[in-house]
Amino acid sequence: KWLLARRDGKGGFTHERRALHTWIADPNCANGYCTWALLEAGQKDLDAEVGSLKKAATSDTNSYVKALAANALCLAGDRDAAKSFMEALAGRQQSDGHVAGATTSVVGSEGVSLDVEATSLAALAWLRDPAFTGQAIRAVQFLSTACQDGRYGSTQSTVLALRSIVAFDRARAHPTASG
Protein backbone atom coordinates (compact mmCIF):
# COMPACT_ATOMS: atom_id res chain seq x y z
CA LYS A 1 0.00 0.00 0.00
CA TRP A 2 2.86 2.36 0.89
CA LEU A 3 4.74 1.69 -2.35
CA LEU A 4 1.62 1.89 -4.49
CA ALA A 5 0.93 5.32 -2.99
CA ARG A 6 4.26 6.49 -4.42
CA ARG A 7 3.38 5.87 -8.05
CA ASP A 8 3.99 9.09 -9.99
CA GLY A 9 1.26 8.59 -12.62
CA LYS A 10 3.86 8.40 -15.40
CA GLY A 11 4.96 4.78 -14.93
CA GLY A 12 7.45 5.44 -12.17
CA PHE A 13 7.66 6.04 -8.44
CA THR A 14 8.65 8.96 -6.25
CA HIS A 15 11.70 8.31 -4.12
CA GLU A 16 12.28 10.31 -0.98
CA ARG A 17 15.90 10.48 0.09
CA ARG A 18 15.42 10.98 3.83
CA ALA A 19 15.72 7.32 4.83
CA LEU A 20 18.82 5.76 6.36
CA HIS A 21 19.18 3.56 3.29
CA THR A 22 20.26 5.43 0.18
CA TRP A 23 18.60 4.39 -3.04
CA ILE A 24 20.48 5.13 -6.18
CA ALA A 25 19.13 8.04 -8.18
CA ASP A 26 19.01 6.05 -11.44
CA PRO A 27 15.30 6.05 -12.28
CA ASN A 28 15.43 2.92 -14.43
CA CYS A 29 16.94 0.90 -11.58
CA ALA A 30 14.67 2.33 -8.89
CA ASN A 31 11.43 2.20 -10.90
CA GLY A 32 12.28 -1.22 -12.33
CA TYR A 33 13.02 -2.64 -8.90
CA CYS A 34 9.78 -1.29 -7.45
CA THR A 35 7.74 -2.63 -10.36
CA TRP A 36 9.37 -6.06 -10.11
CA ALA A 37 8.84 -6.18 -6.33
CA LEU A 38 5.15 -5.32 -6.64
CA LEU A 39 4.62 -7.93 -9.36
CA GLU A 40 6.45 -10.55 -7.27
CA ALA A 41 4.05 -9.72 -4.42
CA GLY A 42 1.11 -10.45 -6.73
CA GLN A 43 0.07 -6.86 -7.42
CA LYS A 44 -2.02 -6.31 -10.54
CA ASP A 45 -2.92 -3.19 -12.53
CA LEU A 46 0.64 -2.00 -13.09
CA ASP A 47 0.31 -1.49 -16.85
CA ALA A 48 1.84 2.00 -16.83
CA GLU A 49 4.80 0.88 -14.72
CA VAL A 50 5.39 -2.27 -16.77
CA GLY A 51 5.16 -0.30 -20.01
CA SER A 52 7.57 2.32 -18.71
CA LEU A 53 10.06 -0.34 -17.61
CA LYS A 54 9.83 -2.12 -20.95
CA LYS A 55 10.55 1.12 -22.81
CA ALA A 56 13.39 2.09 -20.47
CA ALA A 57 15.06 -1.32 -20.60
CA THR A 58 14.94 -1.36 -24.40
CA SER A 59 17.26 1.62 -24.63
CA ASP A 60 19.19 1.22 -21.35
CA THR A 61 22.49 -0.65 -21.73
CA ASN A 62 22.60 -1.61 -18.03
CA SER A 63 22.26 -5.40 -17.65
CA TYR A 64 20.72 -4.88 -14.21
CA VAL A 65 17.79 -2.94 -15.73
CA LYS A 66 17.38 -5.51 -18.51
CA ALA A 67 17.25 -8.31 -15.91
CA LEU A 68 14.63 -6.44 -13.86
CA ALA A 69 12.60 -5.97 -17.05
CA ALA A 70 12.89 -9.65 -17.99
CA ASN A 71 11.52 -10.67 -14.61
CA ALA A 72 8.79 -8.02 -14.49
CA LEU A 73 7.58 -8.60 -18.03
CA CYS A 74 7.43 -12.32 -17.45
CA LEU A 75 5.32 -11.80 -14.34
CA ALA A 76 3.12 -9.32 -16.24
CA GLY A 77 2.47 -11.88 -18.98
CA ASP A 78 4.51 -10.26 -21.78
CA ARG A 79 6.58 -13.37 -22.45
CA ASP A 80 7.83 -12.25 -25.88
CA ALA A 81 9.35 -9.04 -24.53
CA ALA A 82 10.68 -10.90 -21.49
CA LYS A 83 12.35 -13.42 -23.79
CA SER A 84 14.02 -10.68 -25.82
CA PHE A 85 15.58 -9.28 -22.63
CA MET A 86 16.60 -12.81 -21.55
CA GLU A 87 18.31 -13.27 -24.91
CA ALA A 88 20.16 -9.96 -24.52
CA LEU A 89 21.32 -11.08 -21.06
CA ALA A 90 22.40 -14.46 -22.45
CA GLY A 91 24.57 -12.60 -24.96
CA ARG A 92 26.31 -10.86 -22.07
CA GLN A 93 26.94 -13.99 -20.01
CA GLN A 94 30.66 -14.61 -19.64
CA SER A 95 32.45 -17.98 -19.62
CA ASP A 96 32.53 -17.98 -15.80
CA GLY A 97 28.72 -17.59 -15.75
CA HIS A 98 28.40 -13.98 -14.62
CA VAL A 99 26.42 -11.45 -16.61
CA ALA A 100 28.54 -8.50 -17.73
CA GLY A 101 27.31 -5.02 -18.53
CA ALA A 102 25.76 -3.96 -15.25
CA THR A 103 26.64 -0.33 -14.58
CA THR A 104 24.66 0.34 -11.39
CA SER A 105 22.06 -1.28 -9.16
CA VAL A 106 19.18 -0.05 -7.07
CA VAL A 107 21.54 0.43 -4.11
CA GLY A 108 24.60 1.62 -6.04
CA SER A 109 26.60 -1.59 -5.85
CA GLU A 110 29.94 -1.91 -7.59
CA GLY A 111 32.44 -4.64 -8.45
CA VAL A 112 31.65 -8.20 -7.46
CA SER A 113 28.49 -7.17 -5.61
CA LEU A 114 27.11 -5.61 -8.79
CA ASP A 115 28.05 -8.69 -10.84
CA VAL A 116 26.34 -10.93 -8.29
CA GLU A 117 23.17 -8.81 -8.28
CA ALA A 118 22.89 -8.64 -12.08
CA THR A 119 23.67 -12.34 -12.47
CA SER A 120 21.16 -13.27 -9.78
CA LEU A 121 18.40 -11.24 -11.43
CA ALA A 122 19.25 -12.76 -14.81
CA ALA A 123 19.16 -16.27 -13.32
CA LEU A 124 15.73 -15.58 -11.80
CA ALA A 125 14.49 -14.51 -15.23
CA TRP A 126 16.08 -17.46 -17.05
CA LEU A 127 14.47 -19.88 -14.60
CA ARG A 128 11.09 -18.67 -15.91
CA ASP A 129 11.83 -20.04 -19.40
CA PRO A 130 13.18 -23.58 -19.96
CA ALA A 131 14.97 -22.42 -23.12
CA PHE A 132 17.49 -20.69 -20.85
CA THR A 133 18.27 -23.60 -18.52
CA GLY A 134 21.93 -23.67 -19.59
CA GLN A 135 22.35 -19.99 -18.80
CA ALA A 136 20.67 -20.43 -15.40
CA ILE A 137 22.98 -23.34 -14.56
CA ARG A 138 26.10 -21.31 -15.45
CA ALA A 139 24.82 -18.33 -13.47
CA VAL A 140 24.27 -20.42 -10.35
CA GLN A 141 27.70 -21.99 -10.79
CA PHE A 142 29.16 -18.47 -10.81
CA LEU A 143 27.19 -17.61 -7.69
CA SER A 144 28.47 -20.70 -5.91
CA THR A 145 32.06 -19.54 -6.47
CA ALA A 146 31.35 -15.88 -5.63
CA CYS A 147 30.45 -16.61 -2.01
CA GLN A 148 33.13 -15.45 0.42
CA ASP A 149 32.81 -16.24 4.14
CA GLY A 150 29.09 -16.97 3.76
CA ARG A 151 28.20 -13.78 1.93
CA TYR A 152 28.22 -12.34 -1.57
CA GLY A 153 29.53 -8.85 -0.88
CA SER A 154 26.76 -6.46 0.05
CA THR A 155 23.51 -7.32 1.79
CA GLN A 156 21.58 -6.74 -1.44
CA SER A 157 23.83 -9.03 -3.46
CA THR A 158 23.64 -11.73 -0.77
CA VAL A 159 19.83 -11.58 -0.70
CA LEU A 160 19.53 -11.76 -4.49
CA ALA A 161 22.11 -14.55 -4.77
CA LEU A 162 20.37 -16.66 -2.13
CA ARG A 163 17.01 -15.98 -3.70
CA SER A 164 18.20 -17.16 -7.12
CA ILE A 165 19.92 -20.24 -5.66
CA VAL A 166 16.75 -21.23 -3.80
CA ALA A 167 14.68 -20.68 -6.97
CA PHE A 168 17.17 -22.75 -8.94
CA ASP A 169 17.04 -25.59 -6.38
CA ARG A 170 13.25 -25.48 -6.38
CA ALA A 171 13.10 -25.57 -10.19
CA ARG A 172 15.62 -28.41 -10.50
CA ALA A 173 14.43 -30.57 -7.59
CA HIS A 174 12.94 -33.94 -8.38
CA PRO A 175 10.56 -35.79 -6.10
CA THR A 176 12.02 -38.81 -4.35
CA ALA A 177 11.32 -41.93 -6.34
CA SER A 178 11.77 -45.56 -5.49
CA GLY A 179 14.54 -47.58 -6.99
Side-chain angles (χ1 to χ4, degrees):
K1 189 174 182 179
W2 179 87
L3 187 54
L4 287 170
R6 274 136 187 86
R7 292 192 287 182
D8 66 9
K10 299 179 271 184
F13 298 84
T14 60
H15 302 280
E16 296 176 18
R17 309 237 346 141
R18 59 185 177 151
L20 291 175
H21 183 78
T22 303
W23 284 66
I24 201 71
D26 182 279
N28 293 343
C29 285
N31 293 332
Y33 196 90
C34 291
T35 301
W36 171 60
L38 286 167
L39 288 165
E40 281 286 348
Q43 185 64 44
K44 305 290 184 207
D45 302 321
L46 295 170
D47 295 341
E49 291 77 15
V50 170
S52 180
L53 176 57
K54 180 179 177 180
K55 182 178 178 184
T58 299
S59 60
D60 198 319
T61 60
N62 186 353
S63 295
Y64 188 94
V65 173
K66 291 188 182 300
L68 286 170
N71 281 286
L73 289 162
C74 210
L75 290 166
D78 190 346
R79 300 204 59 77
D80 290 338
K83 188 169 187 160
S84 71
F85 289 120
M86 289 181 212
E87 289 169 349
L89 293 164
R92 295 178 178 193
Q93 190 173 40
Q94 304 299 295
S95 60
D96 69 353
H98 92 274
V99 174
T103 55
T104 191
S105 75
V106 72
V107 294
S109 297
E110 297 176 342
V112 174
S113 292
L114 181 57
D115 288 343
V116 167
E117 287 181 45
T119 302
S120 297
L121 287 168
L124 287 168
W126 290 328
L127 287 168
R128 299 175 194 280
D129 187 330
F132 296 94
T133 299
Q135 286 83 3
I137 290 169
R138 285 191 298 282
V140 171
Q141 287 170 338
F142 164 75
L143 295 174
S144 71
T145 64
C147 183
Q148 298 295 316
D149 299 321
R151 61 188 179 88
Y152 292 87
S154 69
T155 302
Q156 182 69 7
S157 59
T158 300
V159 168
L160 288 175
L162 293 175
R163 183 170 180 174
S164 63
I165 290 167
V166 168
F168 178 82
D169 287 346
R170 188 177 297 127
R172 304 287 292 173
H174 301 290
T176 305
S178 62

